Amino acid sequence: MFGLVYNAVNPGVYGFANITIGYFDIVLAYIVAIVISVLVALILRVPLLPSKPYRYSFDVSAVYPTPIIAVGILSLFLVLNYTFAYNGLLLAMIIGIFSGVFVKYFFYFVFPSPDMGEDVNE
Amino acid sequence: MNEIIGIILAAVICWLNFVIIDTYFGLPQQPGVKGARLVGEAIKKRNGDIAGGFFQGNVLCSPDASAGTLLAAIGFLVLGIPGGIIAAFFVFIGNRLCADPGYAGTVGCLSATVLIFIFSFVGLTAEMFIVGMVIAILTVQGIDQVRASIVLGKIADKFNRHARE
């Protein structure tokens, strides 16, 4: 059993569903995750840019924070060396679609926007 | 590279990184929460600068580029470049929990990851950046808040981000 755990957490040896992939594949997976997440967010009619003024806006948009969520979750999978099929591209696409859907439908449920009370944004 | 020289260089790089990004994203311009306003007004009462005070209050009250730089260095030490990106993701979550939009924190974290990666070819390691960032944040928050706020206010003036009060 400990051998199974060792194999699962150590990169480069046999894991559950992993093939060690190269640097080119990792960079490609990041680019795919960013592009797919932005595209899915735009298809779901999330605005491209946050509302003005940009620097103080709490609104979600396609360029922020959708790609941040996508690459963050993809990095968690990569450091665990779980890359799934097609050199990580399928995983990147699934995570991109997930983050677009998350930003559109669930973001304010998880991170509620602070209402304009007296304590914030005076 | 010699450790002491490396730590001094890393401290300078971290200081420039987080002060420039925080100032650009408008930390000196307005306090995000009430605690930041109280810090700014307390510093102004001691003959400090109100914009530098807001900067220090905002850094105190939510994870901005300063915390982003520190966490990126720690993530880079543990996991390499993906660690820095994971740190940006977690800093974003922390920002939203602290009633902060989170632009400064995530951008600072990603830029710090890029900087640490570039300077790792010169011989600066992630450990040096962790120590350097602690020293950099000490010069802003720890040694002399009033003088630090005056310096930060001058930088905010240069970036056209000074609080209009």
Side-chain angles (χ1 to χ4, degrees), chain B residues 11-37:
Chain B
V12 172
I13 294 163
C14 287
W15 200 92
L16 289 175
N17 180 47
F18 93 86
V19 168
I20 288 172
I21 288 175
D22 274 351
T23 308
Y24 177 77
F25 282 102
L27 260 71
Q29 220 163 11
Q30 65 175 39
V33 290
K34 203 172 232 171
R37 177 175 288 279

Side-chain angles (χ1 to χ4, degrees), chain B residues 61-79:
Chain B
C61 288
S62 69
D64 286 298
S66 53
T69 311
L70 183 59
L71 290 173
I74 295 170
F76 196 94
L77 171 71
V78 179
L79 295 169

Side-chain angles (χ1 to χ4, degrees), chain B residues 4 25 39 54 57 90-91 114 122 127 133 160-161:
Chain B
I4 304 295
F25 282 102
V39 171
F54 285 164
F90 287 161
V91 165
V114 172
V122 189
E127 294 96 320
M133 187 60 217
N160 200 17
R161 295 276 190 272

Side-chain angles (χ1 to χ4, degrees), chain A residues 26 30 50-51 54-61 64-65 68-73 75-79 107-108 110-114 118-122, chain B residues 23-27 29-35 37 79 81-83 85-86 88-90 92-93 95-97 99-104 106-107 110 161:
Chain A
I26 290 175
Y30 275 120
S51 59
Y54 293 140
R55 277 178 281 119
Y56 304 111
S57 168
F58 278 93
D59 298 345
V60 295
S61 63
Y64 183 90
I68 304 283
I69 293 172
V71 294
I73 295 172
S75 300
L76 284 174
F77 278 89
L78 287 180
V79 299
F107 189 85
Y108 289 121
V110 181
F111 304 114
S113 174
E118 55 174 305
D119 197 37
V120 291
N121 278 341
E122 299 159 280
Chain B
T23 308
Y24 177 77
F25 282 102
L27 260 71
Q29 220 163 11
Q30 65 175 39
V33 290
K34 203 172 232 171
R37 177 175 288 279
L79 295 169
I81 292 176
I85 297 172
I86 292 171
F89 178 54
F90 287 161
F92 172 73
I93 293 175
N95 270 312
R96 286 291 165 135
L97 297 180
D100 186 323
Y103 300 98
T106 42
V107 172
L110 293 175
R161 295 276 190 272

Side-chain angles (χ1 to χ4, degrees), chain B residues 84-164:
Chain B
I85 297 172
I86 292 171
F89 178 54
F90 287 161
V91 165
F92 172 73
I93 293 175
N95 270 312
R96 286 291 165 135
L97 297 180
C98 292
D100 186 323
Y103 300 98
T106 42
V107 172
C109 207
L110 293 175
S111 74
T113 307
V114 172
L115 282 176
I116 296 169
F117 176 66
I118 291 170
F119 283 103
S120 68
F121 291 109
V122 189
L124 293 175
T125 58
E127 294 96 320
M128 293 175 188
F129 275 93
I130 295 173
V131 180
M133 187 60 217
V134 172
I135 293 170
I137 198 72
L138 185 74
T139 60
V140 169
Q141 298 274 21
I143 296 171
D144 190 343
Q145 278 196 310
V146 174
R147 274 185 213 154
S149 79
I150 292 167
V151 174
L152 292 171
K154 277 179 189 161
I155 295 170
D157 246 349
K158 285 241 167 70
F159 278 73
N160 200 17
R161 295 276 190 272
H162 203 278
R164 307 265 179 272

